[in-house]
Amino acid sequence: MDIKTSYKNKNALITGGLGFIGSNLARKLLDLGAEVNILDNADPATGANPFNLDGIRQQVKVIEADIQDEAKVKEAVQGQDFLFNLAGEMSHIGSMQDPFKDLSVNAVGQLKLLEVCRVTNPAVRIVFAGTRQVYGRPMYLPVDEKHLLTPLDNNGVSKRAGEMYHIVYNRVHGMATCVLRMTNTYGPRMRICDDRLTFIGWWFRQLLEGKPIQIFGDGSQIRDFNHVDDVMDALLRCAANPAAYGKIYNLGGEPITLLELARLMIAVHGSGEYEIVPFPEGRKRIDIGDYYGNYGLIKSEVGWEPHVPLRDGIKDMLEYYYQHKRHYL
């Protein structure tokens, strides 16, 4: 399979395309010769940022609508060859504060989207952005796709529902769907104004503003990270490869402790400090402990593995925000 030719002169729709991953993917698809369409409700609380399309806004079509707007979704999916389904609620804390909104978007919204696709364009090839949050607190490491699913927050439950709707529509209706369980994705254009969606984005803001990076707990927690370039590669490979249809894959990277991560960010930045602080009570109850994923299945079946070293990815992200941080604070 040649990614360079799979998307030339094809139509691709990105739900959530004003967000972090979606806007980077839009740029990559344009480079590959695709016609790019975006469906996004433009909610900044979910990471949508008009500046993310700076320089390419005139090359893409943007439909401002929610995935639950069936008329707009029908308009958007008609004639599309690929659908990169990145829309959804991602905040773990937010899902506990407003569980019904989280459920409405991540479960009902996904079902409505799939139904419109089934009726309007059943041949569209779909990749859904899932999350490693569905596993909850790991019983063993690295976590593979056979691990028991015991999510610790409402977002993990609703995202599990969303991914299973995609698998049902493959098995029952023969649609070309695939699920990627993403881990901590980072890189240019991510939301850094607060810690609602991601802790690493917030760490970058603290670093850029000369404030101590706040590490909850003792810093020994293990995580893995994927640069957005590697995540885009996985999305593109899975959408174009029939071997991926009907499958759920973990993404993953090299494990690192949060203390090691903070020290690496400070070293790459050239200055900064960190402090160990107690877990806020609301976060402690839903913290997953140690996690890193086994991505052997997607490597063997699709040929994906991460390539961007963490140090290089941090440097890339810092350089972007040195220039553009005013659009993200």
Side-chain angles (χ1 to χ4, degrees):
M1 181 189 64
D2 185 1
I3 294 294
K4 293 181 180 179
T5 60
S6 295
Y7 294 94
K8 188 173 179 60
N9 299 321
K10 299 293 186 180
N11 295 316
L13 173 65
I14 306 170
T15 63
L18 292 179
F20 161 43
I21 299 175
S23 59
N24 281 285
L25 181 61
R27 294 168 186 275
K28 181 65 175 179
L29 284 165
L30 288 172
D31 289 343
L32 294 172
E35 294 289 328
V36 178
N37 299 268
I38 286 172
L39 179 80
D40 199 299
N41 67 0
D43 180 1
T46 63
N49 186 336
F51 185 75
N52 282 340
L53 299 185
D54 181 56
I56 63 166
R57 181 60 185 84
Q58 302 306 313
Q59 299 171 255
V60 301
K61 178 183 178 181
V62 177
I63 299 174
E64 189 171 322
D66 191 89
I67 58 170
Q68 298 193 66
D69 185 334
E70 295 176 55
K72 290 291 189 180
V73 170
K74 182 177 179 180
E75 172 191 346
V77 302
Q78 286 179 337
Q80 298 301 311
D81 298 296
F82 299 98
L83 167 54
F84 297 93
N85 188 9
L86 309 179
E89 291 289 323
M90 297 177 289
S91 174
H92 305 303
I93 288 292
S95 76
M96 306 307 291
Q97 296 170 339
D98 192 349
F100 294 103
K101 179 183 179 182
D102 181 84
L103 179 68
S104 177
V105 175
N106 288 347
V108 178
Q110 295 301 331
L111 183 56
K112 287 184 176 180
L113 174 64
L114 286 164
E115 263 298 281
V116 171
C117 289
R118 182 185 68 82
V119 173
T120 304
N121 184 4
V124 66
R125 287 163 277 184
I126 306 172
V127 182
F128 174 67
T131 173
R132 57 106 169 105
Q133 198 71 12
V134 299
Y135 294 116
R137 189 168 289 120
M139 295 183 293
Y140 58 84
L141 295 171
V143 174
D144 58 24
E145 293 84 355
K146 296 179 181 179
H147 191 284
L148 185 66
L149 304 179
T150 54
L152 293 180
D153 59 36
N154 292 325
N155 185 256
V157 175
S158 68
K159 291 291 285 187
R160 171 60 174 162
E163 70 175 25
M164 284 312 300
Y165 283 132
H166 284 75
I167 297 305
V168 166
Y169 272 64
N170 168 264
R171 294 177 181 171
V172 176
H173 302 300
M175 293 171 59
T177 63
C178 175
V179 174
L180 297 183
R181 287 179 179 156
M182 298 181 182
T183 185
N184 297 287
T185 306
Y186 71 101
R189 302 181 181 86
M190 78 182 306
R191 178 185 169 98
I192 65 169
C193 62
D194 56 32
D195 62 351
R196 182 176 175 83
L197 301 184
T198 165
F199 81 88
I200 191 171
W202 180 239
W203 279 18
F204 271 96
R205 176 171 184 170
Q206 292 173 318
L207 190 63
L208 289 165
E209 294 188 331
K211 298 176 181 178
I213 293 173
Q214 293 188 323
I215 305 173
F216 296 151
D218 61 8
S220 66
Q221 306 98 306
I222 299 172
R223 293 289 188 273
D224 58 352
F225 298 84
N226 285 139
H227 188 270
V228 67
D229 286 356
D230 283 328
V231 172
M232 286 190 295
D233 183 46
L235 288 162
L236 293 167
R237 285 175 179 268
C238 287
N241 191 335
Y245 303 158
K247 303 294 182 60
I248 297 176
Y249 294 124
N250 283 349
L251 300 188
E254 289 298 314
I256 185 173
T257 69
L258 296 189
L259 184 57
E260 290 169 337
L261 174 64
R263 289 171 173 165
L264 179 60
M265 289 173 62
I266 290 167
V268 175
H269 180 51
S271 64
E273 57 185 355
Y274 63 85
E275 60 183 7
I276 305 293
V277 299
F279 260 107
E281 191 56 36
R283 292 185 180 274
K284 185 176 182 180
R285 288 194 295 266
I286 62 175
D287 182 64
I288 63 170
D290 295 337
Y291 177 91
Y292 59 98
N294 181 335
Y295 54 87
L297 186 61
I298 190 173
K299 181 178 180 179
S300 64
E301 294 190 354
V302 183
W304 179 88
E305 60 183 322
H307 290 288
V308 180
L310 189 54
R311 177 180 288 272
D312 292 350
I314 290 170
K315 182 175 184 290
D316 173 57
M317 187 168 172
L318 282 170
E319 288 176 348
Y320 180 80
Y321 288 104
Y322 291 153
Q323 184 175 358
H324 301 297
K325 69 178 181 181
R326 67 187 181 278
H327 300 285
Y328 294 88
L329 301 184

